[in-house]
Amino acid sequence: MAKVPSVIHWFRLDLRIHDNLALRNAINEVRQAENRKHFLRPVYVIEPDIKNKVGENRLRFLIQSLQDLDSNLRKLNTRLFILRGTATELLPKLFDKWQVKHLTSQLDIDRDIVLQDEVIDEVAEKKDIFIVRRVQHTVYDVHSVLKKNNGAVPLTYQKFLSLVTGIQVKDTIEITKALSDNCKPPDFDSKDYDVPSLEDLGLDESALNPCKYPGGETEGLNRLNMYMAKKQWVCKFEKPNTSPNSIEPSTTVLSPYISHGCLSAKLFYHKLKEVENGASTHSQPPVSLMGQLMWREFYYTAGAGTKNFDKMVGNPVCTQIPWGKNDEHLKAWAEGQTGYPFVDAIMRQLKQEGWIHHLARHMVACFLTRGDLWISWEEGAKVFEDYLLDYDWSLNAGNWMWLSASAFFYKYFRVYSPVAFGKKTDKEGLFIRKYVPELKKYPTEYIYEPWKAPKSVQTTAGCVLGVDYPKRIVDHDKIHKENMQKMSAAYKLNKEKKAMKRPHT
DNA sequence: TTGTCCGTTGGCACT
DNA sequence: TAGTGCCAACGGACA
């Protein structure tokens, strides 16, 4: 008997059923094969070294998202097949074993996935497998936006907006009709394909911090609907007026759901349009919620069109800056032990909860790079990759370049003060008291600057500097001025190099 | 080529 | 409390 061919949908950063064009393609392919039976296998590949690549909070978010995805797929009378191994090694073998004729997936920008796809494409071509990749992770097709700009990367947000104005955004799609039993392969019920627990991956779940943002499509959609119901709030939203150091998030925290594809960016777009269209006035990009979504599109476009976007060297949009190396300072920063309470509180919130406010990211990124520690943005990006639930290849690199004044933003003399910046929205230092509990009892006048507290105050508050909490590792007032000079010199050199490269006519 | 305006969200002193 | 001007002076876009 001839083997029954299979159709694979390969889930990556599209952990959802709703608005999943590529999944629908796979399902349609199976359904249309009326008189020639096809099996459907929606797969997700867990790489062996995932624990080294993905921080524990994000790994938990991923596993939760996969569990939710599996349960949503089962409502369609199919399931998620988890594959354990390296995608580029494993998939080619399964192409033969499963008689794969058709492979669908989302079109991704993330460099690692793009490289993976190149390998798979080559194999698929040899084996005569039809590959379908759909644009569905962004609102716009970033490659056609680049084309519209004659292949050049838009270097300003306004330029990007002007490129996408007038582009019609397609409607979202839904998949509701369940599949027939004919689509189930014989090993459908095998436990080998079950979503692993964190324990299976070698992680002690009980040792993790409490889960503040559970992963999954269901949770993402609930969160979206909850915020979109607050129409006034949506219409008045202005990012700079939200607080980086409120005890509960002052923004939506939809980002982890969008970055994992639990939530469709296009659905977010349409829901926002709906709310905005129903209001007499609403805030505008860049500060509005729609503006935030457009920032994501901006960085995706830049990431797709720039070589070595996540690196300094060999990256055409990135100013070359002679960053220093200081592993001790880097470690202190990453672990929230710099002696600057505001910086430390943010870094500890990041490590514990996997999410920090965008402006908090500005604060700590500026501090690590051009502001205080003079350490490369690439080092900071690696730490964020590890800790952030909403880690996203394009956004992470793009924002780090922005904050370090390496690309897109150039006013390097605008430096965030680790003392003044937080005070604007949290005079009492409640945020610091929560995340740096050593300082909980400090008088308000010293909460942002504990080094100014007399020894007697330190003792009374139960936190002596250098014993219970670190002394500050740098003197911001002094060092940020020195760093500004270094930035100025780097810019000057960059300008000269550019002038030399320019053709003389 | 040069000038001008503008740019997601700084800090600080002052009114 | 919010607004303004100064700090020192960037690159991109466009005329």
Side-chain angles (χ1 to χ4, degrees):
Chain A
M1 198 177 81
K3 269 194 152 187
V4 177
S6 292
V7 175
I8 289 183
H9 173 72
W10 182 11
F11 282 104
R12 287 103 63 108
L13 298 175
D14 57 325
L15 306 182
R16 66 172 183 275
I17 309 289
H18 76 274
D19 200 31
N20 195 328
L21 293 158
L23 175 65
R24 187 179 68 172
N25 279 140
I27 289 175
N28 283 349
E29 195 58 35
V30 170
R31 279 207 183 113
Q32 280 160 14
E34 276 173 14
N35 41 11
R36 17 176 207 112
K37 189 173 171 181
H38 276 53
F39 293 141
L40 176 71
R41 292 184 186 266
V43 306
Y44 184 88
V45 183
I46 296 183
E47 303 268 334
D49 60 343
I50 191 158
K51 247 180 79 185
N52 305 328
K53 279 188 172 172
V54 177
E56 38 189 47
N57 281 338
R58 183 148 63 92
L59 195 51
R60 175 171 60 185
F61 190 97
L62 174 68
I63 294 299
Q64 289 165 338
S65 300
L66 293 174
Q67 283 163 345
D68 187 55
L69 180 62
D70 182 47
S71 107
N72 288 340
L73 282 167
R74 284 179 192 273
K75 289 173 196 158
L76 295 173
N77 200 29
T78 178
R79 66 166 293 181
L80 184 61
F81 294 80
I82 297 287
L83 310 175
R84 305 280 295 272
T86 307
T88 48
E89 287 171 13
L90 195 56
L91 286 175
K93 286 181 197 154
L94 292 173
F95 287 164
D96 293 334
K97 190 179 166 193
W98 290 346
Q99 292 286 295
V100 175
K101 296 288 173 222
H102 213 93
L103 172 73
T104 69
S105 74
Q106 165 170 293
L107 182 83
D108 283 303
I109 304 296
D110 185 305
R111 184 207 47 202
D112 288 347
I113 300 180
V114 171
L115 291 176
Q116 227 172 33
D117 281 349
E118 283 171 9
V119 176
I120 295 297
D121 279 5
E122 209 174 300
V123 178
E125 196 175 333
K126 280 185 199 144
K127 297 186 189 291
D128 212 20
I129 296 167
F130 192 68
I131 291 193
V132 172
R133 269 194 206 106
R134 301 301 299 266
V135 171
Q136 56 181 34
H137 197 47
T138 45
V139 174
Y140 301 102
D141 174 2
V142 297
H143 290 103
S144 63
V145 175
L146 287 166
K147 214 168 160 187
K148 205 174 167 193
N149 200 33
N150 302 317
V153 169
L155 291 171
T156 65
Y157 182 73
Q158 295 304 330
K159 178 71 190 177
F160 170 80
L161 284 187
S162 76
L163 288 169
V164 299
T165 307
I167 298 180
Q168 189 71 33
V169 178
K170 289 195 182 119
D171 284 338
T172 55
I173 59 124
E174 290 297 334
I175 302 167
T176 47
K177 206 175 146 205
L179 286 133
S180 80
D181 285 342
N182 280 340
C183 309
K184 291 181 178 177
D187 55 354
F188 186 84
D189 292 315
S190 170
K191 297 255 175 260
D192 294 346
Y193 303 121
D194 282 359
V195 177
S197 66
L198 283 173
E199 273 73 20
D200 293 335
L201 296 174
L203 220 70
D204 179 8
E205 193 167 2
S206 64
L208 298 189
N209 285 299
C211 179
K212 217 172 160 183
Y213 311 106
E217 175 179 19
T218 308
E219 187 72 26
L221 286 170
N222 283 344
R223 207 171 176 93
L224 175 73
N225 291 329
M226 181 180 88
Y227 277 99
M228 291 305 105
K230 303 201 249 179
K231 292 183 179 155
Q232 280 258 329
W233 183 83
V234 169
C235 290
K236 285 194 172 146
F237 185 95
E238 291 191 349
K239 188 63 158 283
N241 294 337
T242 60
S243 164
N245 47 5
S246 50
I247 298 298
E248 285 306 314
S250 60
T251 51
T252 63
V253 199
L254 287 171
S255 51
Y257 302 93
I258 296 175
S259 68
H260 284 82
C262 299
L263 185 62
S264 153
K266 201 144 50 87
L267 178 64
F268 187 24
Y269 174 92
H270 284 299
K271 291 271 181 190
L272 279 174
K273 273 279 173 217
E274 204 181 300
V275 174
E276 289 185 346
N277 289 342
S280 51
T281 58
H282 58 80
S283 52
Q284 295 288 334
V287 296
S288 63
L289 270 180
M290 183 62 87
Q292 306 313 302
L293 187 55
M294 291 300 113
W295 278 106
R296 177 174 184 270
E297 300 287 317
F298 169 69
Y299 285 125
Y300 261 84
T301 309
T306 309
K307 270 187 196 158
N308 302 308
F309 191 65
D310 59 347
K311 296 184 175 59
M312 179 178 84
V313 177
N315 178 344
V317 304
C318 184
T319 305
Q320 306 297 300
I321 295 165
W323 303 110
K325 196 173 150 59
N326 187 327
D327 290 342
E328 232 170 85
H329 280 181
L330 177 62
K331 193 166 175 246
W333 175 83
E335 292 180 355
Q337 298 285 347
T338 66
Y340 279 93
F342 186 43
V343 172
D344 293 342
I346 294 167
M347 291 307 292
R348 293 186 198 185
Q349 183 190 29
L350 171 62
K351 200 174 174 183
Q352 281 168 34
E353 298 174 6
W355 180 90
I356 50 176
H357 186 277
H358 188 65
L359 290 177
R361 301 179 198 204
H362 279 213
M363 176 69 248
V364 296
C366 181
F367 188 87
L368 180 76
T369 57
R370 67 189 167 86
D372 297 78
L373 303 185
W374 199 254
I375 291 172
S376 169
W377 61 268
E378 289 178 62
E379 295 300 325
K382 279 184 217 157
V383 173
F384 271 27
E385 177 173 355
D386 196 20
Y387 290 163
L388 277 174
L389 293 179
D390 62 20
Y391 165 72
D392 184 301
W393 186 79
S394 299
L395 274 66
N396 197 39
N399 277 308
W400 271 99
M401 280 189 272
W402 182 292
L403 261 303
S404 59
S406 301
F408 312 116
F409 171 82
Y410 307 95
K411 292 193 236 189
Y412 57 78
F413 38 86
R414 289 195 169 177
V415 175
Y416 289 84
S417 158
V419 173
F421 189 61
K423 281 185 187 172
K424 284 198 279 192
T425 40
D426 179 20
K427 274 201 176 61
E428 307 287 317
L430 300 176
F431 180 76
I432 292 170
R433 292 174 206 278
K434 177 173 179 186
Y435 292 101
V436 189
E438 304 96 292
L439 299 170
K440 202 159 70 182
K441 291 182 182 157
Y442 261 56
T444 298
E445 88 175 287
Y446 302 119
I447 191 75
Y448 283 88
E449 306 169 275
W451 56 88
K452 285 191 176 168
K455 219 26 179 292
S456 60
V457 174
Q458 295 184 25
T459 310
T460 313
C463 178
V464 175
L465 293 200
V467 180
D468 306 300
Y469 180 70
K471 290 180 177 168
R472 55 185 178 159
I473 57 173
V474 288
D475 179 350
H476 172 78
D477 289 339
K478 215 175 117 203
I479 205 140
H480 91 274
K481 283 182 183 148
E482 290 170 22
N483 289 344
M484 240 186 243
Q485 294 299 312
K486 288 191 201 165
M487 284 301 285
S488 171
Y491 269 42
K492 211 175 147 197
L493 201 64
N494 189 57
K495 210 179 221 174
E496 284 165 10
K497 274 189 187 160
K498 264 190 186 170
M500 274 167 70
K501 269 189 195 163
R502 211 174 292 143
H504 302 275
T505 46

